[in-house]
Amino acid sequence: MSFLQKTDPDVYGAVQSELGRQRDQLEMIASENFTSLAVMEAMGSVFTNKYAEGYPGRRYYGGCEFADQVEQLARDRAKILFGAERANVQPHSGSSANITAYLALCKPGDRIMGLSLSHGGHLTHGHKVNFSGSLFEAHHYEVDRETERINYDALRKQAMEVRPQLLVGGSSAYPRAWDFEAMGAIARELEIPLLVDMAHFAGLVAAGIHPDPVPHATAVTTTTHKTLRGPRGGLILSGAETGKLINKWNFPGTQGGPFVHVIAAKAVCFLEAQGDAYKKDQHQTVANAKALGAALVERGLRLVSGGTDTHLILVDVTPRKMTGKEAEEILESVGITVNKNTIPFDAESPFVTSGIRIGTPALTTRGMREEQMVEIADIIDRALAAGADGEDLPGLRKRSQALAANFPLYPELA
Ligand SMILES: *Cc1c(COP(=O)(O)O)cnc(C)c1O
């Protein structure tokens, strides 16, 4: 980064510090991952200079032949990867993809019904502080108090009462596999569209590990930067008819010029995701989450829903007489980055919480396996037992740093 270093030492310094942080910490935020260097090269390319409002072959600017080429590649690869009829690769983010999908599938003022944020849903699924809760009349379903899983019979019953005009599935902090067949049946019975937001588990869907929403949903939105392991961005999949509305509501409906450099990077990601190495990594990600969860349970912690089918676990830290906020801070001090998270029926506020969410995608990308997950569970257990001023913390930090050093980030650069 010699040009950046020369022009702007301050920004260069921040980039270097961030690289050091990513290299030395154990990154266990469930929504994060490490893209390939090929993805980053595409993202840092001259396509950042290009305006390309419209779609391939139908642009509002000249000079778009190569922008057309990468967007067409991205669309075709996304369609192959997920078996969808149409793909819109322009949304700048997962939230932008959802804004577009909502406006394509229903009208402001309509009733929507999604999983409650405090039970694992996302802000864009109708939370009152979000556009989705202010533009639409939002209703929420929750997980079952006993099983901490979605009960699809109860969901159906609630949907029959609420009569939403759009049913929304998908989650950010729900460790279990979704039953999209059941959701599709409910939507069909109500004669309403089903929107599935697979932002968190899209990589697992691509690898055939998580149930596939595409055959059951009217539209499927996702981010491209979580388990999928591409650049930061969004994607919308649908059938041909819905695809027309999605395209219209993306541009000119809600966005201006697409980020062609990011679209180029999405194309690279969708190519990588078709390979065997990628599929193996996604399988390992889930195996790692299961191993980590089992090792934490052995050490006396409680997992919401008793386990996981995905890349993340939700740990109830109340058996340790602490809050999620305290646990997050203690783990950060020993070099493990996680986030506090509400657990279903949480007694604490969303800023304090009773849980932490831990994900394995990023460390799996670095090459870690079940053995390392058991080591990490041990560090987590001992750190939480030591408490904020525990004298064991420096030693535990050394153990996490040793792990990070043994699994280098971007070894190609070394
Ligand atoms: C992360 C996430 C989003 C939002 O993605 P951004 O790119 O951060 O806007 C939307 N829905 C779900 C379910 C998510 O997990």
Side-chain angles (χ1 to χ4, degrees):
M1 290 195 165
S2 55
F3 298 100
L4 178 61
Q5 186 175 18
K6 197 156 163 247
T7 303
D8 190 336
D10 295 332
V11 168
Y12 175 78
V15 172
Q16 291 306 310
S17 302
E18 176 62 12
L19 174 61
R21 190 194 67 81
Q22 291 187 12
R23 190 185 51 216
D24 301 336
Q25 295 272 112
L26 296 180
E27 184 53 72
M28 303 198 84
I29 291 178
S31 48
E32 295 188 9
N33 212 330
F34 298 113
T35 69
S36 70
L37 294 171
V39 163
M40 276 197 271
E41 281 183 344
M43 229 186 321
S45 71
V46 290
F47 277 123
T48 196
N49 299 328
K50 190 69 199 104
Y51 245 112
E53 280 178 359
Y55 292 97
R58 292 176 289 125
R59 302 286 190 187
Y60 291 85
Y61 287 84
C64 285
E65 58 265 48
F66 305 113
D68 281 8
Q69 207 176 334
V70 288
E71 183 163 354
Q72 199 53 53
L73 280 170
R75 296 206 291 199
D76 291 345
R77 289 172 180 174
K79 288 194 280 185
I80 291 170
L81 184 62
F82 292 108
E85 256 186 302
R86 291 287 184 272
N88 188 310
V89 296
Q90 292 194 1
H92 301 325
S93 68
S95 297
S96 300
N98 283 343
I99 293 175
T100 292
Y102 282 123
L103 292 172
L105 299 179
C106 62
K107 310 185 294 302
D110 279 357
R111 286 182 300 283
I112 62 171
M113 194 172 135
L115 180 62
S116 152
L117 178 69
S118 56
H119 287 233
H122 190 261
L123 281 166
T124 56
H125 298 183
H127 195 278
K128 60 180 188 299
V129 302
N130 183 260
F131 83 91
S132 55
S134 102
L135 277 188
F136 303 98
E137 182 189 317
H139 296 259
H140 290 105
Y141 51 93
E142 300 189 335
V143 298
D144 181 84
R145 198 177 269 275
E146 285 303 307
T147 62
E148 297 177 305
R149 299 182 191 217
I150 294 164
N151 175 330
Y152 293 89
D153 293 328
L155 199 167
R156 178 183 168 276
K157 194 159 161 278
Q158 189 185 351
M160 292 302 151
E161 282 160 18
V162 171
R163 297 253 149 207
Q165 280 126 330
L166 175 69
L167 183 61
V168 182
S171 47
S172 305
Y174 181 64
R176 294 299 180 171
W178 283 79
D179 184 346
F180 297 125
E181 204 172 329
M183 296 205 71
I186 296 166
R188 273 196 307 281
E189 191 176 350
L190 282 163
E191 298 181 336
I192 58 169
L194 169 65
L195 171 64
V196 171
D197 176 356
M198 62 172 181
H200 254 266
F201 46 83
L204 309 185
V205 171
I209 306 167
H210 188 284
D212 181 0
V214 173
H216 307 290
T218 319
V220 176
T221 53
T222 183
T223 56
T224 47
H225 50 272
K226 298 181 182 174
T227 49
L228 200 50
R229 212 204 266 165
R232 306 199 76 75
L235 166 71
I236 309 176
L237 305 164
S238 69
E241 275 311 301
T242 306
K244 285 183 203 158
L245 290 169
I246 299 273
N247 285 356
K248 182 167 101 54
W249 277 108
N250 173 82
F251 176 84
T254 58
Q255 289 192 169
F259 294 173
V260 185
H261 56 307
V262 180
I263 290 172
K266 287 174 187 172
V268 177
C269 160
F270 301 149
L271 178 70
E272 290 175 346
Q274 289 171 35
D276 289 339
Y278 181 91
K279 289 198 177 65
K280 245 178 93 187
D281 277 0
Q282 297 290 336
H283 277 278
Q284 189 64 52
T285 297
V286 176
N288 282 352
K290 287 181 194 279
L292 179 69
L296 287 172
V297 167
E298 263 174 41
R299 287 161 179 78
L301 282 150
R302 192 187 83 83
L303 301 188
V304 168
S305 84
T308 182
D309 307 317
T310 65
H311 61 296
L312 69 86
I313 55 175
L314 200 53
V315 184
D316 176 358
V317 296
T318 54
R320 294 298 168 88
K321 308 264 179 294
M322 61 172 56
T323 65
K325 184 167 184 283
E326 287 162 342
E328 176 191 301
E329 284 162 9
I330 292 167
L331 294 180
E332 186 71 27
S333 78
V334 296
I336 298 175
T337 310
V338 302
N339 62 285
K340 65 180 181 236
N341 213 101
T342 52
I343 60 173
F345 310 101
D346 207 320
E348 302 285 350
S349 79
F351 195 71
V352 176
T353 82
S354 300
I356 49 173
R357 187 183 66 162
I358 314 184
T360 53
L363 293 188
T364 307
T365 297
R366 283 179 79 155
M368 293 193 195
R369 301 286 176 264
E370 286 91 336
E371 190 189 332
Q372 286 75 42
M373 296 303 120
V374 175
E375 164 74 354
I376 290 170
D378 200 59
I379 298 171
I380 291 174
D381 170 48
R382 287 169 194 267
L384 297 185
D389 306 309
E391 49 189 47
D392 290 349
L393 297 183
L396 294 169
R397 191 182 169 90
K398 283 215 177 71
R399 278 172 66 185
S400 82
Q401 279 169 338
L403 260 183
N406 284 337
F407 292 85
L409 178 63
Y410 300 120
E412 309 94 308
L413 291 180

